[in-house]
Each structure stands twice: as structure tokens, then as C-alpha cells.
Amino acid sequence: MTGTMRAAVLHAAGPPEAFSLEDIAIPEVKPGEVRVRVKACGVSFRDVVERNGTYRRDVTFPLVIGLEIAGVVEETGQGVSLVKEGDHVCTKAFSSCGMCRYCRSGRETTCLNRQPVRGGYAEYVVLPQDAFVRIPLSLAFEKACMLGAGAGVALNAVRDTARTKIGDRVLVTGATGGVGLPAVQIAHHAGAEVIAVTRSESKRAMLEQAGAHHVIVADGDFSTAVRDVTGGEGADVIIDTVGSHVFDAAYNSLALHGRYAFVGQLNSDKISINPARIFFKRAQLLGVGSVSRAQLADVIELAEQDIVRPQIAEVMPLEDIVKAHHLVEASASVGRIVVTP
Ligand SMILES: [Zn+2]
């Protein structure tokens, strides 16, 4: 297909005003690649740091960003077998090669040849087939676009990395966030007793609705409150989407033999811990990163069953991308801002 498409292009890193709406050539489809008509694209924090110059890995200008994409497959290149024309799809955050030793051992999120997914701020996007996973026709694009980076990572954390079991007590920090809220929903579904930590009383009802058994509203040390609701034992699993700002309180909330899963880090502050506190607790510190095809396919099913319920803050036309980035950078909304080209 030849012709042009509308896109929000970055010619250099900068403030939200750096976006320029232009008509650019539709990229051609090479072997192994797929062209998708973009129906919705979530505005993620990675978009913000790629735009403002904080995240520089594989970034060259001019550039069209946007990784939380959902749309319809319109053309498939030679050798594509994972999706077909007409399929509705959404994206992972990276595409993997499927061939390296990490891909061959179920660890595709650390693929040696992984490529970042980008290009959703446009009418069309062309990416390797591995970037796309099929969604049911009944699932709205505006919800599906954010599943990979949100609920997919939450499933990775709760089920596959922290190995949550029935009856486990699971503490989620940053519980109303893009990974936090689906972590609450998934942990509840897994049969855990869920403790959600948030800084805002106004979000209590939302967290209870998501399946939290206990909501702790706190801006400082919440470990005493966690001990109170767990009979003094603490939480078996911590899903920490905030990072160093809450680490001391969260680690103090961890039960003996607990698993502490690091999922997010919202600033550049370091943490400090006496190693004895790790072995006295027999604690496991775990790193969680990104989402595999299988994990994304599983959360798509959970979304279809309404167990995972992605939160949309607002749907805006692509023309409002500057406004959308201002809102996301200011953390001014609960749920995802989604743009539609
Ligand atoms: Zn690989």
C-alpha cells in the first residue's frame, strides 16, 4: 500500500508541544511484518520519557511513538503466520525474535534481539508479527490497547513471578495505577486476600470494587496498618509498582518467606537494606519486566470475562496529543488516556 497517513511526529525530544501533526508516507510491509490500522493508542509513561528525552534506548528522530496499540490487521508480509488480515489485535511493549536462547526458554521479555514497539500515534503502524496478539471482536479497542503494558505486566507479576497461591495475602502499592489496579483484580481472582495501598481516600471505593479486601490510605509508613489487617504476620506477596518511595514500608510489611516483586520505580532514589533483613525473613526479591505473548493472550481472556477491567480516563482524538501528554505527565487522571487517530 502506498500513500500518506496522519501522524504525530517528533523531530527532537522536548515538551508536549514537540509533537507535530503531519502527513507522512505509510511504511511498507517487509517479510515477517504486519500493517495495522490503528484504532486506539494508550498514552503511557514510556511515551512521556521517550518524548522528553529521558529514555534514549533505540531512540532516533524523526520518530512516531505510542506503544499501547489496538487495531485491525490490513496487510501481512511474507511468512507471517501469527495473525491474518481482518484480525483485531493489540500490542506487547516489545517484539521478540523467537529464536534466541531466552526466547527458546520461555523468557522472551529479555530476548537478545527485542525491538521496542512504537508508532501508535498514527493512522497505520507496521511492526514485526510478534508484536501483535489477537483480541476477540467483542473487546473494545480503547480497552484492549492498554492490556499489554497494564494487566499483562500485572499477570506476569502476580501469577508468574510472585507465584500467588490461594489464601496468600497480597499487598499492592500504587494500587490505582496502570499495573496496580489489574494486579488487585488478578490477585483477587487468584483467591488471594488483597491489601491495596493508595494515597487518596477518594480512591477507596474504586479499589474495593476492584476486589481489594483491605484498603490502606497512607502517604507514609503503612506497615503497622498491614500488620493490623494480617494478624501481625504481614503480606506473603508484595506487588510494588511504586519503588523506592515506599520500599521501607513495603519491606516491613513482608511476611516471613515472603516474595517481594519489584514492578515499577517512579523516581531515581536508591533503596538501602541490611542484607541480614533479607535472610532473616527468608525473603525473595524478584524483578518483573514486560509481558510475553502467552501472558498477554491470558489477560485478553480475563478482560473478555470482565475479570480484568481496564480503566479509561478519557478518549481523545490524535489531534489532542499535546493535551494528552500534559495530563499524563501531571498524573492528572486515574486510568489511561487513549488517543484515536
Ligand atoms: Zn529472542
Side-chain angles (χ1 to χ4, degrees):
M1 180 172 167
T2 54
T4 60
M5 64 176 185
R6 201 77 175 141
V9 182
L10 287 170
H11 292 279
E17 288 72 17
F19 286 112
S20 152
L21 282 165
E22 299 173 12
D23 291 315
I24 61 171
I26 298 172
E28 69 175 284
V29 178
K30 298 196 226 27
E33 291 184 338
V34 173
R35 179 166 50 83
V36 163
R37 174 181 276 277
V38 179
K39 294 291 192 178
C41 186
V43 178
S44 73
F45 200 68
R46 193 177 106 193
D47 294 350
V48 170
V49 293
E50 286 183 350
R51 187 258 302 149
N52 69 20
T54 310
Y55 184 103
R56 297 205 179 98
R57 190 167 165 180
D58 302 316
V59 172
T60 51
F61 298 100
L63 183 66
V64 180
I65 61 169
L67 68 127
E68 297 184 3
I69 305 163
V72 181
V73 174
E74 290 207 344
E75 189 183 342
T76 56
Q78 199 190 333
V80 167
S81 57
L82 295 173
V83 295
K84 60 182 192 306
E85 268 173 56
D87 279 352
H88 290 196
V89 293
C90 67
T91 47
K92 302 194 292 178
F94 295 88
S95 62
S96 308
C97 74
M99 302 297 286
C100 71
R101 59 190 294 256
Y102 292 103
C103 284
R104 291 290 198 192
S105 54
R107 298 177 289 178
E108 74 193 56
T109 61
T110 46
C111 170
L112 296 170
N113 308 303
R114 71 178 200 168
Q115 301 286 331
V117 166
R118 289 195 188 107
Y121 295 180
E123 286 178 275
Y124 298 96
V125 65
V126 174
L127 290 165
Q129 61 170 338
D130 182 68
F132 298 108
V133 175
R134 205 152 57 88
I135 60 172
L137 302 183
S138 57
L139 188 59
F141 296 113
E142 291 82 359
K143 289 184 176 177
C145 67
M146 70 181 93
L147 285 175
V153 174
L155 185 83
N156 181 355
V158 172
R159 185 189 70 183
D160 297 337
T161 305
R163 300 176 310 283
T164 299
K165 299 186 294 296
I166 295 169
D168 275 346
R169 296 183 177 112
V170 175
L171 174 74
V172 181
T173 67
T176 56
V179 175
L181 195 68
V184 170
Q185 293 163 348
I186 290 165
H188 178 102
H189 183 63
E193 183 178 344
V194 184
I195 306 155
V197 179
T198 178
R199 287 189 299 175
S200 166
E201 180 62 39
S202 65
K203 291 171 182 166
R204 179 185 294 277
M206 175 190 184
L207 287 166
E208 285 170 352
Q209 215 173 10
H213 300 88
H214 313 281
V215 176
I216 296 173
V217 179
D219 203 3
D221 187 359
F222 46 78
S223 60
T224 308
V226 175
R227 297 269 157 201
D228 286 348
V229 298
T230 57
E233 292 185 355
D236 304 293
V237 169
I238 312 275
I239 304 296
D240 182 8
T241 72
V242 175
S244 48
H245 179 67
V246 300
F247 176 75
D248 288 336
Y251 192 80
N252 287 337
S253 306
L254 186 67
L256 294 173
H257 302 275
R259 288 92 76 198
Y260 192 118
F262 292 89
V263 193
Q265 169 66 352
L266 299 185
N267 59 48
S268 55
D269 296 345
K270 294 189 167 60
I271 58 171
S272 157
I273 185 165
N274 181 334
R277 296 187 61 218
I278 299 172
F279 57 71
F280 283 152
K281 262 193 189 180
R282 317 294 192 266
Q284 296 179 53
L285 306 187
L286 305 161
V288 182
S290 205
V291 60
S292 70
R293 288 187 68 79
Q295 288 161 341
L296 181 48
D298 287 349
V299 288
I300 289 166
E301 256 191 71
L302 293 178
E304 203 183 358
Q305 295 164 33
D306 211 31
I307 291 160
V308 159
R309 298 179 295 278
Q311 287 280 316
I312 301 169
E314 204 175 334
V315 180
M316 303 179 172
L318 182 61
E319 284 70 24
D320 287 343
I321 192 68
V322 174
K323 182 181 161 197
H325 266 246
H326 275 295
L327 287 170
V328 172
E329 199 157 30
S331 305
S333 38
V334 172
R336 267 293 188 262
I337 291 181
V338 174
V339 292
T340 55

